[in-house]
């Protein structure tokens, strides 16, 4: 991990309520955390809804060896809320506005990645949680909390027609699926596969459908078939059925893999046609085995993609506004977060939990 210096700007702080995991095995429980008082470029947000991403689960359980978790860990990077205060230099927001925050809260702003609007690849990017906090020292804390203070560049605008509980997951699940589809040219008439119908997968289906693609969902859960069609899929394949899989050999332009656990990716690479691409967004810790011939034949490519830049995140939110796209959410109080994690570990989520943060006020 890169060493980060604590900023020289002195910050006073206030306390706010949150839910945290004390270690990799513990349940999430109430905690009080510090937030900086807003500086001149900061926006303070009272959090209304926060989605539960599988990355929250991986982090809380300490599953990612490349990104060790610092405890206590307050997860949450699908944040929608109301602006309660803005710094003197903030022009984009005013008190009372609805605002959103995703997976990043800062970056260096000058590197080639930032200059290209790809802050998610900046070597000094600060994640919303589990990154060194340059303002207060310690570690950043995420959205399972009452309020958050974020630099204005990293605060997004939510189209007014979108339901807020369902809009929160757009800030990670939405942009993480939108960005690679735009990058790899998913447009009308392209044959697009989505592997894993979870939080990311169901957003990918909605977005690919809105982009005009022919969408095929690959799922291990036969009971999700009807939902997949309702969400916008044209076809559904039960991925454990090899006969069903073989009907699609050499036929896809693009496949997005949004699976959170270990699985055989060669089974999907074979479904790409010449020069087709498969992009991994799902992030199981264990390395995938890739057969060279899965790629060599047909000059296929395999790549990865990390969330999306701030400009593209706003573009995605506006696209979702125009197309009336939000996540299908099960709204829960924060007190049910541990039950939600247990259900997520069994792929029993339809299709995103969104925490109503008003429930934290009673803690
Ligand atoms: P999720 O809601 O839990 O969905 C994951 C889906 O994967 C499940 O619904 C299930 O779909 C499938 N699955 C689970 N276990 C499986 C297994 N053993 N074999 C095959 N399929 C299995 O998770 P999510 O929030 O969408 O996140 C998915 C992954 O993306 C996570 O690893 C997360 O960390 C990662 N992620 C990456 C980025 C990025 O920037 N790259 C951003 C956000 C999240 P079916 O029931 O349909 O099979
Ligand atoms: Zn996420």
């Amino acid at each position: 991990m890169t060493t980060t210096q604590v900023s020289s700007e002195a910050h006073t702080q206030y306390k706010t309520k949150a839910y945290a995991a004390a270690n990799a095995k513990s349940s999430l429980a109430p905690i009080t955390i510090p937030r900086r008082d807003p500086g001149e470029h900061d926006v303070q947000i009272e959090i209304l809804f926060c989605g539960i991403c599988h990355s929250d689960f991986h982090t809380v359980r300490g599953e990612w060896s490349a990104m060790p978790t610092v405890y206590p860990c307050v997860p949450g990077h699908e944040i929608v809320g109301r602006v309660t205060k803005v710094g003197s230099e903030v022009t984009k927001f005013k008190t009372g506005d609805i605002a959103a925050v995703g997976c990043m809260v800062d970056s260096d702003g000058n590197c080639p990645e930032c200059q290209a609007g790809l802050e998610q690849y900046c070597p000094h990017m600060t994640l919303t949680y589990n990154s060194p906090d340059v303002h207060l020292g310690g570690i950043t804390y995420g959205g399972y909390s009452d309020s958050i203070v974020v630099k204005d560049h990293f605060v997004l605008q939510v189209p007014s027609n979108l339901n807020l509980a369902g809009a929160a997951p757009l800030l990670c699940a939405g942009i993480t699926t939108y960005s690679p589809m735009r990058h790899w040219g998913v447009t009308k008439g392209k044959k697009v596969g989505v592997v894993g119908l979870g939080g990311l997968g169901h957003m990918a289906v909605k977005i690919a459908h809105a982009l005009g693609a022919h969408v095929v969902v690959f799922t291990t859960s036969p009971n999700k078939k009807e939902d997949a069609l309702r969400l916008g899929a044209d076809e559904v394949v039960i991925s454990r059925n090899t006969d069903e899989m073989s009907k699609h050999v050499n036929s896809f332009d693009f496949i997005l893999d949004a699976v959170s656990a270990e699985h055989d990716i060669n089974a999907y690479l074979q479904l790409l046609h010449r020069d087709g691409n498969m992009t991994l967004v799902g992030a199981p810790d264990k390395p995938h085995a890739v057969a060279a011939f899965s790629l060599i034949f047909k000059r296929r490519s395999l790549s990865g993609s990390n969330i999306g830049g701030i400009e593209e995140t706003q573009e995605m939110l506006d696209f979702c506004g125009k197309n009336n796209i939000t996540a299908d959410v099960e709204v829960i109080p924060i007190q049910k977060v541990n039950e939600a994690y247990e259900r997520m570990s069994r792929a029993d989520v339809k299709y995103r939990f969104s925490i109503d943060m008003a429930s934290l006020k009673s803690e």
Side-chain angles (χ1 to χ4, degrees), residues 201-221:
H202 97 291
M203 287 314 311
V205 172
K206 291 187 184 205
I207 292 168
H209 177 75
L211 289 168
H214 179 90
V215 185
V216 182
V217 165
F218 296 94
T219 179
T220 59
S221 309

Side-chain angles (χ1 to χ4, degrees), residues 13-18 32-37 44 146-147:
Q13 49 181 265
Y14 68 98
K15 302 267 183 220
T16 193
K17 290 177 182 177
T32 300
I33 54 163
R35 295 286 191 199
R36 68 178 184 272
D37 284 317
Q44 183 189 48
D146 252 351
S147 75

Side-chain angles (χ1 to χ4, degrees), residues 165-183:
L170 300 179
L171 277 298
C172 176
I175 184 59
T176 302
T177 53
Y178 181 85
S179 182
M181 288 199 277
R182 296 284 289 163
H183 180 77

Side-chain angles (χ1 to χ4, degrees), residues 300-318:
R300 298 162 176 136
S301 65
L302 173 65
S303 51
S305 187
N306 186 29
I307 44 175
I310 291 300
E311 195 184 330
E312 193 173 48
T313 304
Q314 191 61 59
E315 179 189 305
M316 174 277 309
L317 284 165
D318 297 342

Side-chain angles (χ1 to χ4, degrees), residues 52-56 77-78 103 129 172-173 176 200 307 352:
I52 300 182
C53 178
H54 207 110
S55 301
D56 302 350
H77 56 207
E78 295 184 333
C103 304
Y129 63 86
C172 176
T176 302
L200 266 60
I307 44 175
R352 201 57 145 186

